[in-house]
């Protein structure tokens, strides 16, 4: 009676347990907070380099030593980030989030809130289509539309509001270089899972 492509929930859970069961070791004790801190530090450092390179790019534009080219960004760190794989900690967190027991630990560690903040920081830092004043307007508009504590409460009840709001933010405020960014895609995927 079941279609050949459909899998029962219990067999899917067993398959996930078999494939990702080892991730329980990682999430024991302070494991979740260590992974989240590592991801935050990696992304923070990357965003700092993107902002630094943006200052250099703008100085070059003001001095006329670099012409504005629509095909390239001019910010090499941002261009590299748009094409690079997500950081290893984020990949590990994605694997950990496949088990229900680990997802409970991630929710207890406020992972949806932390991941949403990272996603918004990345979108703000790499969106070159907004002017500096527009960037603060974007931050204000996002904070007015959804408070971070509201996002956390919604994720504790149901992850769909977080995922929907983050996908709306991504679709409304992305530049041409943002399409298919592996890091933002993975952040969204993990938020949706939680």
């Amino acid at each position: 009676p079941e279609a050949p492509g459909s899998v029962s929930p219990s067999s899917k859970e067993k398959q996930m347990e078999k494939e990702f069961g080892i991730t329980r070791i990682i999430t024991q004790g302070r494991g979740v907070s260590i992974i989240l801190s590592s991801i935050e530090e990696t992304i923070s450092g990357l965003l700092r380099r993107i902002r630094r390179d943006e200052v250099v790019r703008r100085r070059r534009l003001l001095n006329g030593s670099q012409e504005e080219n629509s095909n390239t960004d001019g910010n090499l760190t941002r261009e590299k980030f748009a094409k690079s794989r997500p950081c290893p900690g984020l990949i590990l967190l994605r694997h950990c989030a496949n088990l229900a027991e680990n997802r409970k630990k991630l929710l207890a560690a406020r992972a949806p809130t932390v991941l949403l903040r990272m996603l918004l920081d990345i979108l703000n830092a790499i969106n070159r289509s907004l002017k500096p004043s527009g960037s603060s307007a974007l931050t204000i508009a996002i904070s007015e539309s959804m408070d971070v504590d509201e996002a956390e409460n919604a994720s504790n009840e149901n992850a769909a509001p977080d995922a929907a709001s983050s996908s709306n933010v991504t679709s409304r405020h992305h530049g041409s270089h943002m399409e298919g960014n592996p890091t933002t895609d993975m952040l969204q995927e993990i938020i949706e899972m939680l």
Side-chain angles (χ1 to χ4, degrees):
E2 285 189 41
S6 67
V7 180
S8 69
S10 62
S11 64
K12 185 176 180 179
E13 189 65 34
K14 287 179 185 177
Q15 179 186 2
M16 289 296 210
E17 176 66 35
K18 183 179 179 182
E19 192 171 344
F20 299 105
I22 191 125
T23 60
R24 280 197 181 94
I25 296 169
I26 297 167
T27 59
Q28 289 178 347
R30 294 190 48 221
V32 171
S33 62
I34 292 170
I35 293 171
L36 288 173
S37 296
S38 171
I39 295 168
E40 279 183 299
E41 185 62 34
T42 302
I43 289 178
S44 173
L46 177 71
L47 296 178
R48 195 173 321 123
R49 290 192 310 271
I50 288 173
R51 290 183 188 109
R52 177 200 63 206
D53 289 356
E54 184 64 19
V55 169
V56 171
R57 185 185 76 87
R58 287 183 183 181
R59 283 185 185 159
R60 286 183 183 158
L61 285 173
L62 288 174
N63 293 336
S65 61
Q66 178 183 354
E67 294 183 23
E68 184 69 32
N69 186 348
S70 61
N71 293 336
T72 62
D73 186 346
N75 186 324
L76 298 177
T77 305
R78 182 171 32 218
E79 289 176 5
K80 183 179 174 184
F81 173 67
K83 298 173 186 170
S84 66
R85 294 179 43 159
C87 69
L90 197 55
I91 295 169
L92 181 61
L93 188 67
R94 168 65 177 85
H95 291 310
C96 291
N98 283 310
L99 293 182
E101 184 180 322
N102 290 344
R103 285 193 296 269
K104 289 177 185 175
K105 291 178 183 179
L106 290 168
L107 288 172
R110 302 176 61 142
T113 303
V114 172
L115 296 173
L116 185 58
R117 282 182 187 158
M118 281 189 261
L119 179 62
L120 293 174
D121 287 345
I122 290 171
L123 293 174
N124 282 333
I126 63 177
N127 191 353
R128 74 181 183 125
S129 65
L130 294 174
K131 303 288 183 226
S133 61
S135 178
S136 61
L138 170 65
T139 305
I140 292 168
I142 291 171
S143 65
E144 287 175 356
S145 67
M146 182 172 68
D147 188 32
V148 174
D149 290 332
E150 291 174 10
E152 179 192 358
N153 291 337
S155 68
N156 287 339
E157 296 171 13
N158 183 356
D162 279 345
S165 65
S166 64
S167 64
N168 287 343
V169 169
T170 304
S171 62
R172 281 183 287 161
H173 299 290
H174 73 283
S176 60
H177 60 280
M178 272 299 297
E179 295 175 9
N181 182 298
T183 300
T184 57
D185 292 345
M186 187 166 287
L187 280 168
Q188 264 186 279
E189 183 181 348
I190 295 169
I191 292 169
E192 289 171 2
M193 289 177 75
L194 299 176

